[in-house]
Amino acid sequence: MRLTEVAREDLHGRSQQIYDEIVASRGVVRGPFAALMHSPEVAGRAASLGAYLRFETSLDPKTLQIVTLAVAREWDCQYEWTAHEPQAREALVPEDTITAIKKRQAPEGLPEDEALLVRYVHELLRGHRVAPETFDRIQSRFSPLELTDLTITIGYYSMLACALIAYEVQPAEGVVPLLPL
């Protein structure tokens, strides 16, 4: 990592409390949160949003992981991909879908519901716009709550990817990187 990791003992007051909250919810301060601890308030707020999006979201686990993998691939974010590929399998994302996203073949060849998710991510991140027909189709599939959670998930994992890439945060020692760059 380009920045030195912030140790708990280097922090004071509210910053230590934020550090402890991240440890309590995630077990350890690592990855993007190790970098974000240089701004403890940002780290805490990002962790809080992430906890909602990962564990309390209105989205089903399969949808969440397809979107997260699509974002990680768009950013070529090794850390994010390596963390989420196994989670995608646990969420029963088909191996063909994981491979298609990894090889940049998606959305072609995916079942329509999965292709729609990848298309939504691509349009938002590549073109900075969502085509009316894509939005209409996604809006017909998801409630306003789900659509909001879906869209903010794309932004959240993009934000983390920016920090991970800028600070060159890599998977932990001994963890095999899973994304071909």
Side-chain angles (χ1 to χ4, degrees):
M1 182 164 83
R2 285 179 162 166
L3 298 176
T4 58
E5 289 195 27
V6 176
R8 184 186 188 282
E9 55 271 9
D10 296 333
L11 301 170
H12 304 286
R14 172 79 178 122
S15 297
Q16 277 189 342
Q17 180 183 350
I18 291 168
Y19 189 99
D20 293 344
E21 289 168 0
I22 293 171
V23 169
S25 76
R26 297 173 181 274
V28 67
V29 174
R30 69 172 174 218
F33 297 100
L36 295 177
M37 278 309 299
H38 286 276
S39 176
E41 283 297 328
V42 168
R45 291 167 194 240
S48 178
L49 178 58
Y52 169 76
L53 293 173
R54 286 188 62 203
F55 306 117
E56 301 170 37
T57 183
S58 63
L59 303 174
D60 65 85
K62 181 180 172 185
T63 297
L64 177 66
Q65 292 304 322
I66 290 170
V67 168
T68 303
L69 287 181
V71 171
R73 189 54 172 143
E74 281 302 295
W75 284 100
D76 290 332
C77 185
Q78 185 66 256
Y79 188 100
E80 208 164 68
W81 182 276
T82 299
H84 285 273
E85 183 178 318
Q87 292 177 36
R89 286 191 183 93
E90 289 174 18
L92 305 179
V93 175
E95 198 64 38
D96 289 347
T97 300
I98 294 170
T99 300
I101 295 169
K102 184 186 281 190
K103 291 184 174 182
R104 298 187 187 279
Q105 296 166 342
E108 288 73 32
L110 295 183
E112 185 49 41
D113 60 331
E114 296 174 7
L116 179 60
L117 294 169
V118 174
R119 190 172 300 111
Y120 189 63
V121 170
H122 286 179
E123 289 182 13
L124 198 54
L125 296 183
R126 289 179 184 176
H128 311 134
R129 300 281 181 275
V130 177
E133 54 276 2
T134 301
F135 191 82
D136 290 346
R137 288 178 57 219
I138 210 144
Q139 188 175 29
S140 72
R141 179 169 172 225
F142 293 99
S143 71
L145 170 62
E146 293 167 327
L147 181 56
T148 301
D149 283 358
L150 175 70
T151 304
I152 298 311
T153 296
I154 295 166
Y156 173 76
Y157 283 105
S158 291
M159 175 191 69
L160 292 184
C162 286
L164 290 162
I165 292 165
Y167 302 143
E168 295 182 348
V169 179
Q170 296 300 312
E173 190 172 323
V175 174
V176 177
L178 299 175
L179 186 64
L181 297 177

